[in-house]
Structure formats: structure tokens, C-alpha cells
Amino acid sequence: MSILKITKYGEPSLRNETKSIQKITSKIHKLISDMIETMYAYDGVGLAAPQVGKNYKLFIIDVSQDENSKNPIIFINPKIIKKSGEAFCNEGCLSLPDIYTEVERYSDVTVKAIGQNGKEFILEAKDDSLLSRAIQHENDHLNGVLFIDRAKDKENIQAQLMEYGLSTIAKKDK
Ligand code: ZN
């Protein structure tokens, strides 16, 4: 396994569309292992393939936050099939270090995806849990959307970006 370079805000791969994974090849298995190692190396809760420069519909999440019992969940070709409620929470992202802002999310989501074993699964994440937020944040990455696009306070996020020399929000319409 190896630690991959995290794509930072401003690099085009964060804004690109991603493609579905047709077959879980050894290359994909290797990518998943490397992404898991990378996520832990950077203390992330989640990591999406575009954040390591790969335009695949793939992300990983581990909300266990326990050094001794790591429990990564692999989402291949995920689709949010149900969403409801609203929640506001402070978010950050490994691709935008040191930037945090309040973002509106759904409080409950149900996601359908394929696991690393090739089997489809459905996962419900409720009550504005960390898992629910992480799923929505990572899923956005697969559509070229970043949490700053959903910032409640646009002026504040603009000010933070400027502070770090990231002058503009390369905004997408949706
Ligand atoms: Zn992110």
C-alpha cells in the first residue's frame, strides 16, 4: 500500500465528472487499499477518488474514529436513493486544509452502492450523523461539487479562501 497525494482545491480533477467502475479489477483493489491508507494517514473521515486524482465513482468512509478498530466502508458507484430532513454542520475537507464552514445537508440519507466484494448494499444514515454527512460530502466529490459550494455564508468562505491565496470559488451551478 502507499499513501497517495491529495488533490488540492484549484486542481481540475476535483471539478471533473467521474465515471462508473465497470469491473473491480486488481487495479481498483489497489486504489482502494491506497485510498484507505491515505485517509488514515491524513486523519480523514472520508476520501473520494477525485481527491487522489482518479475520476471514478468511488469513495471510502470510516466514522469509527477509533485507532484500534478501524472500519472503512467502501462505496463503489454509489447513488443516494432517499434523502430527507435538514441539518447544518461545520465541514472541512482534506482538499481544502484549514478551511471550515457551515453547510446545509439532509439529516437522513439512504445510499445504494457496491462494496469491494462486488455485492450491492443499501445503507441508511440518519439523524444528522457523521456517517450521513460524510456520505453527502463524499458523494458531492463524485459530481465535482465541493462543500464550499454549499457554504451558508458565502462572504465568510470567500474571505477564508483569499486568506489562503485561493481567490475565487470556481462555482458550479448545481
Ligand atoms: Zn472533501
Side-chain angles (χ1 to χ4, degrees), residues 107-132:
S107 72
D108 309 293
V109 292
T110 303
V111 61
K112 186 164 95 174
I114 295 166
Q116 198 172 0
N117 59 6
K119 293 202 173 98
E120 192 178 273
F121 66 94
I122 289 177
L123 185 67
E124 237 184 295
K126 300 188 112 170
D127 303 323
D128 185 27
S129 56
L130 182 55
L131 179 61
S132 170

Side-chain angles (χ1 to χ4, degrees), residues 1-4 26-40 47 58 60 72 74 116:
M1 296 209 285
S2 43
I3 296 173
L4 305 169
S26 55
K27 218 177 85 184
I28 296 294
H29 283 294
K30 167 92 168 75
L31 173 63
I32 290 170
S33 306
D34 288 347
M35 282 174 64
I36 290 171
E37 197 183 358
T38 305
M39 176 175 72
Y40 291 135
L47 188 67
L58 161 69
I60 59 171
I74 319 302
Q116 198 172 0

Side-chain angles (χ1 to χ4, degrees), residues 14 46-48 51 91-96 105 137-138 140-141 145-147:
L14 286 179
L47 188 67
Q51 291 183 277
E91 285 185 24
C93 178
L94 293 177
S95 294
L96 289 114
R105 298 284 185 197
H137 178 115
E138 300 310 329
D140 268 354
H141 274 299
V145 175
L146 299 171
F147 75 109

Side-chain angles (χ1 to χ4, degrees), residues 26-79:
S26 55
K27 218 177 85 184
I28 296 294
H29 283 294
K30 167 92 168 75
L31 173 63
I32 290 170
S33 306
D34 288 347
M35 282 174 64
I36 290 171
E37 197 183 358
T38 305
M39 176 175 72
Y40 291 135
Y42 287 91
D43 279 328
V45 168
L47 188 67
Q51 291 183 277
V52 292
K54 305 285 182 198
N55 65 331
Y56 290 124
K57 295 200 184 299
L58 161 69
F59 61 76
I60 59 171
I61 289 177
D62 189 346
V63 291
S64 60
Q65 295 187 310
D66 183 345
E67 200 52 42
N68 300 313
S69 62
K70 290 182 170 154
N71 184 27
I73 312 173
I74 319 302
F75 299 79
I76 297 169
N77 302 340
K79 232 188 194 117

